[in-house]
Amino acid sequence: MRRTALLASATLLTALIPLASAHAAPDPAPDPAPVPVDRFEGEVPFANQPAEGIFTWGGDSDDPPTLQLAARPDAPEGAKVLSGTYDISGYGGFTHDFAADRPAHDWSAHQGIRFWWDGQDNGRKIAFEIKDGGANGEASELWTTSFTDDFSGWKQVVLPFTDFTYRTDYQPVGGIDHVLGLTQMWGYALTLPAGTKGDFAMDDVELYGKADQSLRASVTTDAPVYPVHEGGTAAVRITLATTGSAPVDEPVTVEYRTAATGSAQPGKDYTPVSGTLTFPAGTASGTSRTVEVPTLKDRSAEPAETVPLQLTVTGAKAPAETPQVVVDAHGLPYLDSRLPVQKRVADLVSRMSLEEKAGQMTQAERGAMSAPGDIAAYGLGSLLSGGGSTPTPNTPEAWAKMIDAFQLRAQATRFQIPLIYGVDAVHGHNNLAGATIMPHNIGIGATRDPQLAEKTGAVTASEVRATGVPWDFAPCLCVSRDERWGRSYESFGEDPALVTSMETVIQGLQGRADGRDLSRGDKVLATAKHFVGDGGTEYGSSTTGTYTIDQGVTKVTRQQLEAVHLAPYQTAVDRGIGTVMPSYSSLDIAGDGQGPVKMHARGDMINGVLKDRMGFDGFVISDWNAIDQLPGDYASHVRTSVDAGVDMMMVPYTYKDFSTTLIDEVKAGRISVKRIDDAVSRILTEKFRLGLFEHPYADTSGAAQIGSAAHRAVARQAAAESQVLLKNTGGVLPLKKNQKVYVAGSNADDLGNQTGGWTITWQGESGSHTQGTTILQGMRNAGGDVTYSKDASASTDGYDVGVVVVGETPYAEGVGDVGNGHGLQLSAADQAAVDKVCAAMKCAVLIVSGRPQLIGDRLGKIDALVASWLPGTEGDGVADVLYGRRPFTGQLPVTWPKSEQQLPINVGDASYDPQFPYGWGLTTLTKAPSGGTATLRALGLAATAAERAHAAQAGRALVTQARLIVQQKVTGAGGSGMSAAVAKPFADADHLLLTGRYGAAVERLTAAYRAA
């Protein structure tokens, strides 16, 4: 019997019993007294974890608010209030964390939390979050709600716990159980409004009211969407859950009925159902009941049709949304995998509405999916994880589960077009903890090993696809012309010929150029970025925040544009690249009369050069919010970029605005339907090639190989081959295992510094944040007799050789621009470590960095110098060359300058006098040929013959022999050392080698030999 019926029967009986004999109904239990959380009278200090305290935080040094406990005669409680001021550009606020070394607080007896707020009537929303479960206040689930400051003076803000929702855009740990338990609470935080100055005051934070069962108990369904083949039966599992898994005290009822508000017709497409499920008092948490919804066959080809199952819950919290049964689309030509992709695309596009087409052109961030139903409501074509945007826990299983849940939402659309999910896996699956992290591209360029580049791409693709991600925003084909650029490590090098040679990575990612491998479980769609000229921006030209060079202006002649920046893209197109991403930067071509124009607006380059001239038939994806940098209003941003040839817009948090604006622009005739159909056709083509229509969900069969020994072996080889030996006086390297080695420096034992930016988070971070081996650990694993003192403070007596590992800390994009808080000089601590160790013993200095560091003032004191770049998670690979398990073979992918004043400096410059030239790299375990000029003459003749015979392998080997002869003379007793006369022809030779002109390369090396 339902509870309302029981109450009615009790009332009737009471009326029939004589008043004298009737027992008075017991009074309901009174609400518990309010429990103070903060009185702001000084009982809680300003302090950080693990102590209890109040502390501020923010996006940068200016964002944290100021706080004080101020005496106020109008204080709602006590004598003092918490007051402060703020001026936040990014994000900022304050937190009260309870003590981490004491038990968490139990708030489950209360209805909610409330406090007094001194209103400024500014209409701004203020986020209020509470911290539930986990180890402590900084390792807990965040649940959030907000209130609006639309009043003046003191007002008590009341926030019932039922208003709080799980925070999806950021969780420091999260994933504990995704249930607001309230039994292990660690405090609260307020996020103040950004973009305006303000002040605030609050007082008397307390818990209030009595928790009812609907707060502790909830009814959920096992999925929001239930796809079923026509004629099949959908089974909707309905589950009762309670906080702390306690049985319910009172019965919970669930009335269900299929609603005729969906697109399916009752009696024709499905059999209507209705009824009531009862969970009696005492029912255990986790108990489930199942409702079945039968569908009917009508033998006609149809799009998908929806059947909402409405649930009315009494005695518990109802599901957040109405589950939907979906009768799968069937019988339509686009679903027939036997048809050519082109025909499938044409059929599907012909059936789609303008709104559905606009959805396919829209990409949102996973963190924006606080309402996942928007995937179907807006027919979104794509989601992405930006740098550091990960599920919790950050495991392969959680990635696959998350993406499958998003894909399930897309099944509720008419044509069940699957999402294409993308990530920035720029040196391995770098967002995933435990993945194999490769050297960054600058290190791959240093290997001069195209086959190895392909292997690294294959490992990356395998690990990415095994987590359910079919699309990788890599490789970066930028030609880095100025190492002050914060993205220079994303480039294979400064020479377009080197970048082009490393594009074998595309085959590693995608497989064969015709796309036939894309549907495999170990391949992904690749992205050539950033089109075009992002590596050539002029220092000081950026207008983005405090950036100095990233996203700035590339000023070139037409010939420079073609020869330097465009060249790698034709190779990418020829290799079958699936997507291309335009650059944030502007292009200023001398003589074209346009001045600097943002690349997302350059139809002459995207439509004219990339699509028409080069024949690119994939789709163009914008960069993160890049269209917002275009001039004009938002409608013009959309119109300009779409007309310029951008097919899909990465609009992480403004997907609704983009979609509706695009639709309006088409309806107004300002964007043509033909252009929309072209964009959608390109996007759908890649989805069909990836096999997503047949297999939208994650194929996790390769997940066991993520971070495996086989994959790490490839990364270890790449780390070893990327090491560039710049100097090696007296043969200090390789080390011998019987030597006593003193190791120092900030980057010897720091995996975060070793992996750099774009590792777990966008900017990366120092310390241990994933699994791997540091350089120090690698040296110990190699059997070395090693003593470590990070700051070189330990005694330096009694050692045979020192190894000092120094360099940069992580950064990404313009945050790492020189002049934006970063430079090319070693830190004071690193300089001191180098000075102390190299004064006490023979020393080798390893520079772990994304770009050259200025070391010239200390070069004379250093016996051996190694450019280690950012070698990734496999420090064993660095140790392999240090201890002679492998020879040093790496070559400089960029010119190493003497001073910052020389920048930009690149191979081919008329004036060229660097510290070390492009292509420089000494070897170990290999002897240079003898014979000097006579040998060079013979090598030149043989190289010319190899060139004529198109014998590339032989030609490269001959040029390498000539290079060894030159390097031996430059560094040997008979040489005059490095000079401009040596450096220029030496660098030119490496460029000639990469372009297949082997005879000319030996000629230039001969000139360098004579100059030395």
Side-chain angles (χ1 to χ4, degrees), residues 789-804:
S789 175
K790 180 176 180 178
D791 60 359
S793 59
S795 172
T796 55
D797 294 339
Y799 292 93
D800 299 306
V801 63
V803 174
V804 192

mmCIF file of all heavy atoms in Angstrom, residues 789-804:
data_model
loop_
_atom_site.group_PDB
_atom_site.id
_atom_site.type_symbol
_atom_site.label_atom_id
_atom_site.label_comp_id
_atom_site.label_asym_id
_atom_site.label_seq_id
_atom_site.Cartn_x
_atom_site.Cartn_y
_atom_site.Cartn_z
ATOM 1 N N SER A 789 73.509 14.380 -5.095
ATOM 2 C CA SER A 789 73.286 15.553 -4.260
ATOM 3 C C SER A 789 72.700 16.637 -5.158
ATOM 4 O O SER A 789 73.399 17.231 -5.965
ATOM 5 C CB SER A 789 74.603 16.037 -3.646
ATOM 6 O OG SER A 789 74.409 17.236 -2.923
ATOM 7 N N LYS A 790 71.398 16.847 -5.045
ATOM 8 C CA LYS A 790 70.691 17.718 -5.982
ATOM 9 C C LYS A 790 71.353 19.083 -6.119
ATOM 10 O O LYS A 790 71.588 19.579 -7.229
ATOM 11 C CB LYS A 790 69.231 17.881 -5.550
ATOM 12 C CG LYS A 790 68.401 18.768 -6.469
ATOM 13 C CD LYS A 790 66.948 18.800 -6.014
ATOM 14 C CE LYS A 790 66.101 19.685 -6.927
ATOM 15 N NZ LYS A 790 64.675 19.682 -6.518
ATOM 16 N N ASP A 791 71.680 19.708 -5.005
ATOM 17 C CA ASP A 791 72.248 21.057 -5.035
ATOM 18 C C ASP A 791 73.767 21.062 -4.927
ATOM 19 O O ASP A 791 74.382 22.119 -4.722
ATOM 20 C CB ASP A 791 71.638 21.919 -3.929
ATOM 21 C CG ASP A 791 71.899 21.344 -2.537
ATOM 22 O OD1 ASP A 791 72.533 20.267 -2.435
ATOM 23 O OD2 ASP A 791 71.458 21.968 -1.559
ATOM 24 N N ALA A 792 74.352 19.872 -5.054
ATOM 25 C CA ALA A 792 75.818 19.724 -4.964
ATOM 26 C C ALA A 792 76.354 20.176 -3.605
ATOM 27 O O ALA A 792 77.503 20.619 -3.498
ATOM 28 C CB ALA A 792 76.518 20.478 -6.095
ATOM 29 N N SER A 793 75.538 20.057 -2.578
ATOM 30 C CA SER A 793 75.982 20.467 -1.250
ATOM 31 C C SER A 793 76.820 19.394 -0.568
ATOM 32 O O SER A 793 77.585 19.699 0.356
ATOM 33 C CB SER A 793 74.767 20.795 -0.377
ATOM 34 O OG SER A 793 73.914 19.677 -0.254
ATOM 35 N N ALA A 794 76.678 18.138 -0.997
ATOM 36 C CA ALA A 794 77.482 17.068 -0.411
ATOM 37 C C ALA A 794 78.932 17.210 -0.850
ATOM 38 O O ALA A 794 79.246 17.823 -1.877
ATOM 39 C CB ALA A 794 76.924 15.714 -0.840
ATOM 40 N N SER A 795 79.811 16.625 -0.092
ATOM 41 C CA SER A 795 81.244 16.704 -0.396
ATOM 42 C C SER A 795 81.532 16.136 -1.776
ATOM 43 O O SER A 795 80.982 15.111 -2.175
ATOM 44 C CB SER A 795 82.030 15.927 0.653
ATOM 45 O OG SER A 795 83.396 15.837 0.265
ATOM 46 N N THR A 796 82.429 16.806 -2.497
ATOM 47 C CA THR A 796 82.798 16.371 -3.843
ATOM 48 C C THR A 796 84.121 15.614 -3.856
ATOM 49 O O THR A 796 84.664 15.335 -4.938
ATOM 50 C CB THR A 796 82.890 17.603 -4.779
ATOM 51 O OG1 THR A 796 83.806 18.546 -4.206
ATOM 52 C CG2 THR A 796 81.532 18.247 -4.969
ATOM 53 N N ASP A 797 84.632 15.284 -2.714
ATOM 54 C CA ASP A 797 85.922 14.585 -2.642
ATOM 55 C C ASP A 797 85.770 13.117 -3.022
ATOM 56 O O ASP A 797 84.783 12.463 -2.646
ATOM 57 C CB ASP A 797 86.505 14.669 -1.226
ATOM 58 C CG ASP A 797 86.879 16.098 -0.850
ATOM 59 O OD1 ASP A 797 87.071 16.907 -1.768
ATOM 60 O OD2 ASP A 797 86.945 16.386 0.370
ATOM 61 N N GLY A 798 86.761 12.606 -3.754
ATOM 62 C CA GLY A 798 86.869 11.177 -3.986
ATOM 63 C C GLY A 798 86.093 10.640 -5.168
ATOM 64 O O GLY A 798 85.885 9.423 -5.264
ATOM 65 N N TYR A 799 85.675 11.491 -6.067
ATOM 66 C CA TYR A 799 84.894 11.032 -7.218
ATOM 67 C C TYR A 799 85.725 11.108 -8.494
ATOM 68 O O TYR A 799 86.575 11.987 -8.662
ATOM 69 C CB TYR A 799 83.606 11.862 -7.376
ATOM 70 C CG TYR A 799 82.647 11.606 -6.252
ATOM 71 C CD1 TYR A 799 82.646 12.426 -5.120
ATOM 72 C CD2 TYR A 799 81.773 10.532 -6.292
ATOM 73 C CE1 TYR A 799 81.787 12.176 -4.060
ATOM 74 C CE2 TYR A 799 80.903 10.277 -5.237
ATOM 75 C CZ TYR A 799 80.920 11.103 -4.128
ATOM 76 O OH TYR A 799 80.073 10.839 -3.083
ATOM 77 N N ASP A 800 85.443 10.199 -9.440
ATOM 78 C CA ASP A 800 86.158 10.170 -10.709
ATOM 79 C C ASP A 800 85.576 11.152 -11.715
ATOM 80 O O ASP A 800 86.304 11.718 -12.540
ATOM 81 C CB ASP A 800 86.105 8.757 -11.302
ATOM 82 C CG ASP A 800 86.758 7.735 -10.393
ATOM 83 O OD1 ASP A 800 87.923 7.947 -10.012
ATOM 84 O OD2 ASP A 800 86.094 6.733 -10.052
ATOM 85 N N VAL A 801 84.269 11.344 -11.680
ATOM 86 C CA VAL A 801 83.609 12.201 -12.672
ATOM 87 C C VAL A 801 82.279 12.681 -12.103
ATOM 88 O O VAL A 801 81.660 12.006 -11.269
ATOM 89 C CB VAL A 801 83.392 11.419 -13.997
ATOM 90 C CG1 VAL A 801 82.449 10.233 -13.793
ATOM 91 C CG2 VAL A 801 82.870 12.324 -15.109
ATOM 92 N N GLY A 802 81.878 13.853 -12.533
ATOM 93 C CA GLY A 802 80.587 14.404 -12.123
ATOM 94 C C GLY A 802 79.634 14.477 -13.302
ATOM 95 O O GLY A 802 80.052 14.712 -14.442
ATOM 96 N N VAL A 803 78.361 14.269 -13.038
ATOM 97 C CA VAL A 803 77.302 14.438 -14.037
ATOM 98 C C VAL A 803 76.290 15.412 -13.451
ATOM 99 O O VAL A 803 75.677 15.129 -12.414
ATOM 100 C CB VAL A 803 76.623 13.098 -14.381
ATOM 101 C CG1 VAL A 803 75.436 13.332 -15.319
ATOM 102 C CG2 VAL A 803 77.625 12.142 -15.023
ATOM 103 N N VAL A 804 76.155 16.566 -14.080
ATOM 104 C CA VAL A 804 75.248 17.599 -13.588
ATOM 105 C C VAL A 804 74.099 17.737 -14.587
ATOM 106 O O VAL A 804 74.322 18.085 -15.745
ATOM 107 C CB VAL A 804 75.966 18.960 -13.418
ATOM 108 C CG1 VAL A 804 75.081 19.921 -12.646
ATOM 109 C CG2 VAL A 804 77.295 18.773 -12.711
#
